[in-house]
Amino acid sequence: MTDKEPVPMPTGVIKFYLPQRGYGFIAGTDDAPDMYVPAAGLADPDAAPPQEGDTVTYTIAHDDRGRPRADHVLIVHRASTPTTSARKRTGQQGQP
């Protein structure tokens, strides 16, 4: 691989994200491990926070203790509606 070839970014699906706490987890695809994602790891902190089921790309960084975390998390596809478990965590009510 040369320096000019792009490195593919891992892809995953948001398992959950708690905006009030500022963190969540990404379920990796292709047998990749789940990845911790802090609020500081979001590519656009001013955008709406990720929701359960959103498809994302990310890079892997390490915290000051050397533990892996997701960084530059970019939502590439929004889930159509929050799942039941996401509504329970955020206090949203389902449609009648």
Side-chain angles (χ1 to χ4, degrees):
M1 185 183 281
T2 66
D3 290 336
K4 294 183 181 185
E5 291 181 24
V7 175
M9 294 177 67
T11 302
V13 176
I14 297 293
K15 286 180 76 169
F16 71 88
Y17 187 80
L18 304 173
Q20 68 276 20
R21 292 234 162 135
Y23 76 92
F25 281 87
I26 297 170
T29 56
D30 299 326
D31 297 325
D34 291 352
M35 187 67 57
Y36 171 74
V37 56
L42 300 177
D44 185 357
D46 295 327
Q51 297 179 355
E52 185 174 339
D54 288 351
T55 302
V56 296
T57 60
Y58 58 96
T59 60
I60 299 172
H62 294 85
D63 67 13
D64 56 352
R65 293 183 179 175
R67 297 175 295 196
R69 65 175 175 82
D71 199 19
H72 299 102
V73 177
L74 181 63
I75 298 168
V76 294
H77 178 71
R78 286 263 182 201
S80 57
T81 58
T83 62
T84 302
S85 58
R87 286 193 299 269
K88 286 180 184 176
R89 283 194 292 276
T90 61
Q92 297 174 358
Q93 299 297 316
Q95 296 292 331

